[in-house]
Amino acid sequence: ALEQLGVHGKAQEDFILACDEAASNIVEHAFHGKNPNAPRYFRLLLRRRHNCVVAIFVDNGRSFNIEKVEPPDIERNLRGEKRGGYGIFLIRRLVDKMVYSARRGLNFTKLVKQVIG
């Protein structure tokens, strides 16, 4: 899909990694502990706008406060006190803009990456 939108090279690789991490976080965290019989909604909308590629993830999992997400602590990870914590940090490094919001029972995660061409 990114090829068809004219996204190539490092921009494509970075965007794929960021999207993979966002999707993994949704599956692992937003749906964790949710009633297994409850309907789950997960959709990815992908588009190109001028010199940017935009991915919007929409899901009906648990919402969270992105402002309360702590930055990763390598020392705590190495000591085995904390596992993970690099997802949002990594996404923010790979894209130019990340926006999260929750409304009417849905979560919206928007990733924007500037591309050339």
Side-chain angles (χ1 to χ4, degrees):
L2 290 173
E3 290 281 335
Q4 292 175 352
L5 294 174
V7 182
H8 308 282
K10 184 166 177 5
Q12 182 188 72
E13 293 168 8
D14 288 353
F15 202 67
I16 288 172
L17 183 55
C19 288
D20 181 73
E21 187 61 39
S24 296
N25 281 349
I26 292 167
V27 171
E28 184 177 348
H29 300 294
F31 293 126
H32 179 75
K34 190 170 175 138
N35 178 346
N37 297 321
R40 295 177 185 206
Y41 180 83
F42 182 110
R43 180 160 296 196
L44 168 60
L45 308 165
L46 188 62
R47 67 177 184 228
R48 171 87 184 250
R49 290 200 108 163
H50 308 292
N51 65 337
C52 292
V53 62
V54 179
I56 302 173
F57 294 84
V58 183
D59 71 86
N60 69 340
R62 291 181 304 156
S63 62
F64 73 106
N65 184 341
I66 197 164
E67 301 303 321
K68 291 188 176 182
V69 175
E70 296 178 17
D73 185 334
I74 293 173
E75 294 301 320
R76 287 182 65 202
N77 273 222
L78 290 173
R79 289 192 305 266
E81 296 172 8
K82 185 174 190 295
R83 183 186 145 279
Y86 291 91
I88 292 175
F89 173 80
L90 178 62
I91 293 168
R92 285 182 169 149
R93 295 287 180 168
L94 294 169
V95 300
D96 296 298
K97 184 177 183 181
M98 176 184 180
V99 179
Y100 171 83
S101 64
R103 60 186 179 278
R104 293 189 285 191
L106 294 174
N107 301 302
F108 300 86
T109 305
K110 181 178 178 180
L111 307 181
V112 180
K113 175 100 176 145
Q114 289 187 343
V115 294
I116 298 171

